[in-house]
Structure formats: C-alpha cells, structure tokens
Amino acid sequence: MRRSQVLTIYRKEMLDTIRDRRTLISMVAVPLLAIPLLLLVMSKFVSSTEKKAGDEALTIAVRNVGRMPELLIALSQAGFKLASRDDLEAAIAKKEIAAGVEPVKSPGTGTIEVRVYSDLTRRSSDVAEGRIRAALAAFKENSMKRKLIALGQPDSVINPFTVKSVNLAPEKKMAGMFWGGMMGYCVVLLMFTGGMYPAIDMTAGEKERRTLEVVLSSPASRGAIILGKVLAATTAVLVTAVLAMLSLIVSFRFADFGAGKAAGRIPLDATNIVLVFVALVPMAVLAASMMVAIALLAKSFKEAQSYLTPLVMASIFPLLVGMLPGLQLTPALALIPLFNVCQLIKQIFLGEYSHLAFAITMASNIVYAGLACFAAARVFSKESVLFRT
Amino acid sequence: MIQVQALTKTFHDSKRGAVHAVDHVSFEVRSGEIFGLLGPNGAGKTTTLRMLATVMSPSDGTAVLNGHDILKEPEAVRGSIGFLSADMGLYHRLSAREVLKFFGELNGMRGAALASRIEEIFALLNMSAFGDTKIDSLSTGMRQRVAIARALVHDPPILILDEPASGLDVPTAHVIEEFILKARDSGKAVLFSTHVMEEAEYLCDRIAVIHEGAIKIVGTMEDLRAATGKQRLREIFLELLGIADAVRRVHAS
C-alpha cells in the first residue's frame, strides 16, 4: 500500500464530499444552523410558556372566605388576583382560574384546613399551587410570630434558627455538569448523522454510479482505497463534531435557559477543548469505519441509508445512559463504546476525570476503531460485496 | 501483449450450485491488434475482463498482461491497462481535469509531467473548452471523451473496454470507434467486449465468440467464415451458438 495513493484517494473523496449538497447539509448545515435554531426556538418557546403560565397562575379564587377572612389579604399581598367564583372545580376545568383555595373546618378538631385545588397537568395550575402553598406557609409563620410577640416571647423563641443553603460546587462545576452531558450526547450523535452521508456516498454511492470498478482497475491497492475512504469519512465525522461543539457553545451563550446562564460560564479553557477533541478522534475513526463497512454492503444509496439508520438509532441508547446524573466512569464502564466517550466528556467539563478512566476509554476506543477499520477492509476485499447486483 | 491461459471463474449460487461463469478461456491479443470478445448477455464477457483487470480473482488459470501475471503482480497489471465501460465511471462532481489528475496520480504520475499529459490529451480529444467544467454539466458525448481521456491518461499499452458503446447514440458511439482504431494504430493492444455484430465486424482484427463461459471459436472474419460456411457475422454467431440449428429444426417440424 503506497502512502501517495492513500492521499490521492483521500483528497478526491474530500473534494467529492464538499461538493455534495446532501453531505454539506448533514455535515455543516445541521450542526451550524439547525442546532442554534432549534435551541433558540426552544428557549423562546420555554420562556414564553413559562411567562404565560406565570401570568395565568396569578388568577385564583377563594371559596367560603368567611371562615378565614385574613386569607384574602395574605393572598392579595402575595400578588394574586382574586376572582369571584363559587364553583372552584368548574372554574379550574374551564381554565378561568389557575387554582382555588377553600378554608374548611375539620369536623373533629375544629381547626381550619386550607384546601388548595389545582390541576397538576396544567403548567399554570401547577405554578399557582406552588405559589399558594408558599404564600400560605409565609402567612402561617407570620401569624405565629405575631401571636408569640403578643405573648412577649423573646426573639430567640420566635426565630430559633435560620436556614441558608450553601452550594459547594463552584460555578465552573455547575456549568460543567450541564454542559458535559449535553455536549457528549449532542456531539457524538451528530458525528453519526454528519458522517452518514459521506460514508454512503463514497461506498454504496460509488457502486450505484459505477465508479468503483474503475478505481479498482487502477494500480491503487484495495487497502489504499479503503484507507483513503475511511480517513475521508473520519474527517467528515470530526468536522461535524467540531462544528457541533462550536455551534453548541454559541447557542448556549445566547439561549435563554435558566441553565444556559450557567452555561455562559462554561470552562472553555484550551486544555478542556484539546482533551475533548483527543477523546473524540478514536470515536470518529470507529464511527466512520463502522458506517463505511455497513454502507459497503448495500448496492444503492437508499439501501445503505436503511442499513445505517438503525445504527444511528442504536447509538442513542448508550449516549442517553451517559447523560444520567450520578454515573461514574469506572474502569469497567470505560470499556463501553459511545457511553465511555460521552461520560468522559462530561467529566472533563466537570474537572473530575481520572487519568485511568481517560486512558482506558482511549485505549478501548482505539481497539474498537482498529477492529471496525479491519472489518471495513475485510468487507472491501469481498467480490460478492463489491460486485453485488 | 495479453496471454490468457485457461482462465476460469466459478460462482457458488444457493439455488444453482456451482456456476461456471468463465470456463477455461484462453486467447492472445497482440500489440496493435483489436480483439473482440463477442457474446450474448451473460456469456462471461464482463467477468473475463474483470479478471484481466484484476478486480476479480480467477478460480483457476491465469493471464499475463504486458509481461505481468494477474495473480503475482496485480498492481503492475492494473498500471498497464486503461479500462473503459459504457457506464463511463466518472465522478460527476469533479471536472474533467480533476478526474484525469486523480487517475494520473493513482498511476504514479505527478506535478508538471501530469499537467502536461493532461493538456496533451485535452488537445488530442478536443476537450480544452470543457476541461474545467464539472462532469455533471457535460453532454453524453463530452462525458464519453472524458472517459476515454481517463483510460488514456497514463498512456497504457493495453486497453480493456467493456461494451464501451453500449446504449450510446450513433455520433457518440462513433467517437468510441474512432478512439479504438487510433489506439490500435498507435500500437496498443485493444481487448473489447460487445454483443453488437456490426461493431465487432467493423473494428476487430480477430474475434472470439464466447457462450456460456466457454470460447467457441477464435480467429479473423475469414477464419470464422471458413469454419462455419457463413458470410455475415450475425449468421456465424448464431451458428456457433447452436441457435441457427434450433431455428431450422423448428421450421422443419
């Protein structure tokens, strides 16, 4: 196998790839345009839905207020608009109010039980229920305080202690948790979708266009041809990964998620970026080789698409597992392809990765990539595959 | 230039068992000769040419092309041939120049020598006007010239042409015929397969009729006429395939 032939095949495949509209869409347009667009639309939708739910949650009604007249003042002071409705259940069902409040006298003790009516399948009702509970808790605490003050109790009895939560995770780590999970999942998944069309085009596409036989009749060895193709597919996969990472960084900076604000403080130092890129390289070779090997089995572009779609779907499962919080990248788990790289990316952003987990992930993915590359070469050597009609 | 020795290809089919696509085929093609492999569809022409181009391995037998054995030196064999089929096998997103550069480089050509060879071929085939246009935008005739140029870029001593004019209109097919005749005149050995009688009769110095994987006869038109007692190649062909006898029997009954 001559290196010059591998490079010639590689250059031609890259030239062919960047001139293919389908490939450009999946490799460049999807990560660069679709992700920001999707995230921006999603963030706008989420924030407008939340705002609408928040506004609607302010309208509530109180029934039998005579049993507890001060309730009206407490709820008004909490910012609620009080509508006049007797049939709370019907008003909630008709979406006239977000929630209803009713003081009910307990039959045994004679104490008042304040019932909060809501429909938890509705976002505005859910929000209203939470706010009412908070307002009632504050009202209850203030009532008790007033009574204790009237009884002349000292401040140490009225306020025996205060509560303050202290989050020991630095902002960088908080951002890393959110980012790492998203980044691993999105980037690795897009590597498959971005590399799929180039892989098909340079294998089943060549068969369909009848160009493969002509290349096979040139002095280039089969090893040189398949290596050039795998390298080109790997480049396409890596380009997709880099563009997806860039796109995600920019999108999260401008997206209006609550977590997006934390993401704005993402630790984007050079070490993290280099480590993530290094972790993605064997993954890219693995993805490209698998797709080339499978697409080679097909005799047409369409057939190859139907072969590769299940592979992309199957890749979602280990990636989703990798997004779960609390999972650690143990040496055994670092042997699971896709999951390992997704988890490693998350831990790199968290600043928590261990050198052992990094080494095992890299080593196992290099072995898997080598096996996939070997499988592609084996498939490419079979006449029954190359001349399948 | 080409010596084919008992070349055999056996496929294994789940329904039919062992299928002898090419069965101990032997022939020779000399320099400056056009040799036609004539046969009906499925006769084994393409499989024979694929084995000679070393893109398929023979089950038995071998062949020597330009002094290189297809089993021992397949890369040297491929460097000695120019391959062309009616499908053309062109990359539609590349220009003619890019296609020639690609195949020139695969054949070990580089830099100024390759650039100069490309210009020479452009001039030879009158391609300069569309040399930098993407194949996608070219007419069928122009594409056929690009395909010819691709087969010639490394100036191979042997041309292997698999039904090169199949399905082409008369003017485009004429371009191919002219190319084949010029190649012969420049001393190249031309081996081409066809099932078009007129094409074979017009172009070939010698013809081999192949049927069901086996060679029925090899010779000049005169040899074929003498052996069969028929004048036209079509009649000779039907006679050799045993179809003429079958037709006569049907008419007699």
Side-chain angles (χ1 to χ4, degrees):
Chain A
M1 189 196 312
R2 279 189 231 147
R3 199 172 60 178
S4 61
Q5 289 174 339
V6 177
L7 283 174
T8 299
I9 298 280
Y10 173 78
R11 278 198 300 267
K12 179 254 143 197
E13 294 298 354
M14 289 313 298
L15 188 63
D16 219 3
T17 294
I18 59 173
R19 288 183 184 169
D20 180 21
R21 205 178 302 148
R22 279 179 301 200
T23 297
L24 283 182
I25 289 171
S26 67
M27 201 171 93
V28 181
V30 169
L32 272 190
L33 300 174
I35 290 181
L37 206 65
L38 192 71
L39 287 174
L40 287 175
V41 167
M42 233 167 76
S43 71
K44 291 284 173 210
F45 178 74
V46 168
S47 57
S48 76
T49 308
E50 281 297 307
K51 189 176 178 307
K52 195 178 167 215
D55 292 346
E56 285 175 4
L58 292 173
T59 308
I60 62 169
V62 183
R63 185 165 62 191
N64 292 330
V65 73
R67 288 181 191 145
M68 205 176 173
E70 63 273 34
L71 199 59
L72 279 183
I73 302 162
L75 291 170
S76 294
Q77 282 175 348
F80 287 103
K81 293 173 198 163
L82 298 169
S84 175
R85 295 284 189 286
D86 279 334
D87 190 348
L88 296 179
E89 291 82 354
I92 291 169
K94 287 179 190 167
K95 298 183 182 174
E96 292 168 353
I97 56 171
V101 181
E102 181 183 25
V104 179
K105 198 170 263 183
S106 293
T109 59
T111 54
I112 299 285
E113 178 186 272
V114 180
R115 288 186 186 165
V116 181
Y117 299 96
S118 64
D119 173 358
L120 293 181
T121 60
R122 251 171 71 200
R123 181 70 187 140
S124 59
S125 197
D126 187 19
V127 173
E129 194 264 352
R131 284 187 188 170
I132 291 169
R133 287 178 73 88
L136 290 175
F139 171 55
K140 187 174 165 184
E141 195 180 321
N142 288 337
S143 301
M144 282 170 64
K145 275 183 187 172
R146 275 198 302 276
K147 283 174 185 167
L148 287 170
I149 290 166
L151 288 169
Q153 292 294 323
D155 193 51
S156 60
V157 174
I158 297 165
N159 288 312
F161 62 89
T162 56
V163 178
K164 187 187 177 190
S165 298
V166 180
N167 181 7
L168 291 175
E171 282 178 358
K172 184 176 168 179
K173 198 172 171 185
M174 288 293 290
M177 188 181 78
F178 176 76
W179 267 81
M182 284 295 286
M183 185 74 95
Y185 177 73
C186 290
V187 171
V188 177
L189 184 63
L190 281 169
M191 283 166 81
F192 276 92
T193 57
M196 191 166 102
Y197 281 109
I200 294 175
D201 192 66
M202 60 185 73
T203 50
E206 281 226 35
K207 277 193 201 177
E208 199 172 5
R209 294 188 297 269
R210 312 264 177 180
T211 49
L212 191 60
E213 192 171 348
V214 180
V215 181
L216 290 173
S217 66
S218 78
S221 66
R222 297 222 173 149
I225 297 171
I226 195 67
L227 189 56
K229 285 180 185 292
V230 166
L231 283 176
T234 303
T235 306
V237 169
L238 276 177
V239 167
T240 312
V242 170
L243 293 178
M245 276 168 71
L246 279 173
S247 176
L248 278 168
I249 290 166
V250 174
S251 303
F252 277 117
R253 277 195 185 278
F254 293 104
D256 192 22
F257 291 125
K261 290 188 175 70
R265 294 184 291 272
I266 182 77
L268 283 176
D269 51 85
T271 316
N272 278 354
I273 292 171
V274 170
L275 281 173
V276 168
F277 187 77
V278 169
L280 286 176
V281 171
M283 183 65 231
V285 180
L286 171 63
S289 305
M290 277 169 73
M291 288 192 285
V292 164
I294 294 170
L296 267 173
L297 299 171
K299 61 182 177 187
S300 70
F301 206 98
K302 271 190 179 175
E303 192 181 327
Q305 264 180 305
S306 63
Y307 287 177
L308 284 179
T309 305
L311 176 75
V312 177
M313 301 297 280
S315 70
I316 294 172
F317 180 70
L319 293 176
L320 276 178
V321 173
M323 278 185 82
L324 292 176
L327 265 179
Q328 291 297 312
L329 190 61
T330 60
L333 289 177
L335 294 171
I336 303 172
L338 272 78
F339 166 82
N340 58 7
V341 77
C342 192
Q343 197 66 15
L344 183 64
I345 290 172
K346 187 170 162 181
Q347 300 205 333
I348 288 171
F349 279 110
L350 277 168
E352 279 185 350
Y353 76 94
S354 74
H355 292 296
L356 178 66
F358 189 90
I360 294 175
T361 300
M362 290 297 290
S364 60
N365 283 349
I366 287 169
V367 170
Y368 298 140
L371 288 174
C373 207
F374 178 71
R378 287 277 296 175
V379 173
F380 198 64
S381 69
K382 287 188 182 297
E383 283 175 12
S384 56
V385 170
L386 296 179
F387 298 104
R388 195 183 144 214
T389 51
Chain B
M1 188 57 73
I2 303 175
Q3 291 92 37
V4 183
Q5 298 149 15
L7 206 58
T8 301
K9 183 70 180 178
T10 307
F11 293 110
H12 293 278
D13 186 272
S14 56
K15 287 178 187 164
R16 295 181 291 166
V19 178
H20 301 291
V22 176
D23 195 3
H24 293 86
V25 163
S26 300
F27 59 85
E28 275 188 30
V29 186
R30 302 168 201 125
S31 296
E33 180 183 44
I34 300 174
F35 188 93
L37 207 53
L38 185 68
N41 290 333
K45 304 187 295 289
T46 297
T47 306
T48 302
L49 298 190
R50 279 176 174 169
M51 285 191 283
L52 295 180
T54 77
V55 298
M56 237 178 210
S57 313
S59 308
D60 201 5
T62 189
V64 177
L65 284 82
N66 194 29
H68 306 291
D69 191 298
I70 58 168
L71 298 176
K72 293 173 189 157
E73 302 169 276
E75 288 185 21
V77 168
R78 292 197 295 273
S80 304
I81 62 168
F83 186 85
L84 180 67
S85 70
D87 295 318
M88 295 187 236
L90 295 173
Y91 294 102
H92 286 207
R93 294 177 216 123
L94 269 54
S95 68
R97 190 183 302 279
E98 286 163 345
V99 168
L100 296 197
K101 187 168 179 284
F102 174 57
F103 283 97
E105 285 181 1
L106 287 182
N107 279 284
M109 301 169 82
R110 288 283 178 280
L114 176 56
S116 141
R117 174 65 181 160
I118 291 171
E119 291 306 327
E120 188 185 327
I121 291 180
F122 277 3
L124 185 76
L125 295 170
N126 199 16
M127 291 171 59
S128 301
F130 58 86
D132 293 305
T133 308
K134 280 187 198 164
I135 306 293
D136 225 4
S137 310
L138 301 180
S139 67
T140 310
M142 289 170 174
R143 285 180 193 184
Q144 197 62 47
R145 272 188 275 174
V146 179
I148 292 169
R150 176 185 50 67
L152 288 177
V153 68
H154 54 299
D155 196 17
I158 298 168
L159 289 171
I160 294 180
L161 316 173
D162 187 12
E163 301 194 11
S166 173
L168 298 177
D169 59 20
V170 173
T172 316
H174 182 67
V175 173
I176 297 285
E177 288 169 358
E178 289 300 306
F179 153 68
I180 291 172
L181 291 171
K182 275 185 190 171
R184 189 243 331 252
D185 294 344
S186 65
K188 294 185 192 303
V190 182
L191 168 62
F192 87 105
S193 71
T194 184
H195 58 258
V196 182
M197 303 299 138
E198 294 77 11
E199 193 178 78
E201 200 165 353
Y202 171 60
L203 291 173
C204 295
D205 298 312
R206 287 190 304 139
I207 293 170
V209 174
I210 183 168
H211 183 48
E212 292 174 344
I215 297 276
K216 298 290 176 187
I217 194 167
V218 181
T220 61
M221 272 304 292
E222 290 312 312
D223 295 336
L224 268 56
R225 284 179 185 128
T228 60
K230 305 288 177 186
Q231 282 303 302
R232 292 173 59 215
L233 185 56
R234 181 180 294 272
E235 294 166 339
I236 294 168
F237 184 71
L238 292 173
E239 189 70 26
L240 289 167
L241 264 57
I243 295 169
D245 277 345
V247 172
R248 275 196 292 273
R249 278 197 296 275
V250 169
H251 282 296
S253 61

